[in-house]
């Protein structure tokens, strides 16, 4: 019985091939990287590989955000043979676009990306609207710094696997994360069916696009309503201005755009009893805003 070991190291161009370890301790190179890349159909334009299992309509979909195309091809092939449909994005921007375009059951996220640091990308995933913000994230990296692991887990990663690793361990961790998340997914489905969000006397009706406080209708513009919903969907979580704007507009905040503060002031004027002493939308100095989960 062969045990497949996958070795990866930085820089990505130095990623080694898959090797087979036999019972007698000897090894030999198996499934050359070129073969695996061909199997995963990585094209010269680097749009990423996709590995599909068409035998099961309920196949779970994984999104791998990894700039090492050869490593991604190997993992696509291995996980595809294990029953998953795997999509690959070579950088953070295309990974976010892929996740927003089509849901994934789990994201395999490399910490070292060419355009966006993996930790920042994890923060942006957690700031996405609706159920997308709860997509499980498994961080995959060659950096072994304990502080990176701690920060990654604290900002919302579900698990962390350093390179080099055995593919069977990656598969086991993916399965474990998905098992842990299943009850949460069921609860999220039930929550999404309820379009009215209630925070004490504050009621937000997403279908009617109305906001009321103690039965009194609050006057908000369409954009201000979207901003409030973005906070409400992440109640209790501090969001930066960039995360709030990205959640509403689908793009990053311009470097010196402070209009978010003006809109927040107007939302407060509509839903707070005392604008100078807000109880619902709170400012975290130097960070951003948070909608209080518990309200009167």
């Amino acid at each position: 019985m062969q045990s497949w070991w996958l070795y990866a190291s930085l820089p990505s161009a130095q990623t080694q091939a898959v090797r087979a370890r036999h019972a007698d301790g000897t090894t030999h190179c198996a499934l050359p990287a070129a073969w695996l890349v061909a199997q995963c159909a990585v094209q010269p334009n680097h749009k990423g590989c996709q590995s599909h299992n068409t035998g099961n309509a309920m196949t779970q979909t994984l999104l791998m955000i990894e700039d090492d195309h050869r490593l991604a091809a190997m993992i696509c092939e291995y996980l595809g043979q294990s029953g998953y449909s795997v999509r690959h994005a070579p950088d953070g921007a295309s990974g976010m676009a892929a996740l927003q375009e089509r849901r994934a059951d789990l994201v395999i996220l490399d910490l070292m990306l060419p355009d966006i640091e993996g930790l920042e990308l994890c923060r942006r995933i957690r700031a996405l609207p609706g159920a997308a913000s709860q997509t499980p994230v498994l961080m995959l990296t060659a950096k072994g710094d304990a502080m990176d692991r701690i920060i990654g887990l604290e900002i919302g990663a579900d698990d962390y696997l350093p390179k080099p690793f055995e593919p069977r361990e990656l598969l086991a961790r993916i399965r474990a994360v998905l098992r842990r998340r299943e009850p949460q997914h069921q609860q999220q489905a039930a929550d999404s069916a309820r379009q009215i969000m209630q925070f004490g006397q504050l009621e937000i009706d997403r279908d009617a696009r109305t906001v009321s406080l103690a039965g009194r209708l609050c006057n908000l513009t369409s954009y201000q309503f979207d901003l409030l919903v973005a906070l409400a969907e992440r109640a209790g979580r501090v969001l930066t201005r960039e995360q709030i704007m990205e959640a509403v507009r689908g793009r990053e905040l311009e470097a010196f755009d402070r209009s978010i503060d003006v809109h927040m002031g107007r939302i407060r004027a509509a839903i707070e009893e005392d604008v100078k002493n807000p109880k619902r939308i709170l400012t975290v100095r130097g960070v951003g805003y948070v909608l209080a989960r518990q309200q009167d």
Side-chain angles (χ1 to χ4, degrees):
M1 181 65 181
Q2 294 178 344
S3 175
W4 297 100
W5 290 79
L6 184 64
Y7 291 87
S9 60
L10 291 178
S12 61
Q14 297 175 350
T15 303
Q16 301 178 38
V18 175
R19 295 183 179 273
R21 183 182 300 274
H22 299 282
D24 61 3
T26 62
T27 63
H28 74 273
C29 188
L31 294 180
W35 183 88
L36 284 168
V37 171
Q39 291 299 307
C40 270
V42 177
Q43 302 300 327
N45 59 13
H46 299 307
K47 290 185 178 179
C49 70
Q50 296 190 34
S51 178
H52 299 289
N53 183 319
T54 57
N56 185 354
M58 300 301 291
T59 297
Q60 291 175 302
T61 299
L62 311 179
L63 172 62
M64 183 174 191
I65 306 176
E66 165 66 64
D67 63 327
D68 186 332
H69 292 270
R70 183 165 57 174
L71 174 60
M74 296 174 183
I75 294 177
C76 283
E77 176 69 12
Y78 180 80
L79 295 178
Q81 292 177 351
S82 300
Y84 294 99
S85 175
V86 188
R87 292 181 291 151
H88 170 229
D91 53 51
S94 61
M96 281 293 290
L99 184 59
Q100 290 175 295
E101 178 183 347
R102 182 151 50 101
R103 64 173 292 277
D105 293 294
L106 180 140
V107 173
I108 304 170
L109 175 62
D110 184 28
L111 190 61
M112 302 293 288
L113 294 170
D115 57 341
I116 306 171
E117 189 181 40
L119 292 175
E120 173 59 24
L121 192 59
C122 186
R123 291 190 188 97
R124 295 187 186 186
I125 291 173
R126 291 292 173 249
L128 288 172
S133 68
Q134 299 303 313
T135 303
V137 175
L138 191 157
M139 288 194 131
L140 186 69
T141 179
K143 293 183 67 174
D145 189 347
M147 186 54 66
D148 286 326
R149 295 196 295 272
I150 293 170
I151 293 174
L153 293 171
E154 285 185 344
I155 65 175
D158 294 86
D159 204 351
Y160 191 107
L161 184 61
K163 304 171 185 176
F165 59 88
E166 184 182 357
R168 288 185 302 181
E169 181 180 2
L170 173 63
L171 180 60
R173 287 177 180 268
I174 289 171
R175 288 172 173 168
V177 170
L178 291 174
R179 282 197 303 270
R180 292 197 301 268
R181 282 287 186 154
E182 186 58 33
Q184 297 180 37
H185 287 165
Q186 294 173 355
Q187 182 60 46
Q188 289 163 12
D191 291 342
S192 64
R194 298 191 296 269
Q195 293 299 309
I196 296 180
M197 294 182 285
Q198 191 85 33
F199 301 91
Q201 298 182 71
L202 180 66
E203 185 177 281
I204 304 171
D205 189 330
R206 284 180 285 192
D207 279 342
R209 293 184 65 81
T210 59
V211 177
S212 60
L213 183 66
R216 174 181 59 84
L217 198 63
C218 301
N219 186 24
L220 295 177
T221 67
S222 177
Y223 185 61
Q224 289 163 7
F225 177 84
D226 290 339
L227 289 174
L228 181 58
V229 168
L231 288 173
E233 289 178 337
R234 304 159 182 83
R237 188 188 313 168
V238 180
L239 300 178
T240 65
R241 293 174 177 84
E242 290 84 355
Q243 289 173 328
I244 296 170
M245 296 288 279
E246 186 175 2
V248 173
R249 291 182 178 177
R251 66 169 180 82
E252 295 182 32
L253 179 67
E254 296 296 331
F256 300 103
D257 188 348
R258 303 287 291 186
S259 65
I260 187 72
D261 300 319
V262 176
H263 286 296
M264 286 299 171
R266 291 171 180 169
I267 295 172
R268 279 175 169 158
I271 69 172
E272 299 281 3
E273 283 87 358
D274 183 357
V275 177
K276 295 183 178 180
N277 185 30
K279 302 295 185 183
R280 294 184 171 85
I281 297 180
L282 309 178
T283 300
V284 179
R285 189 174 299 276
V287 183
Y289 297 95
V290 58
L291 181 75
R293 189 184 296 274
Q294 301 296 327
Q295 301 182 17
D296 295 333

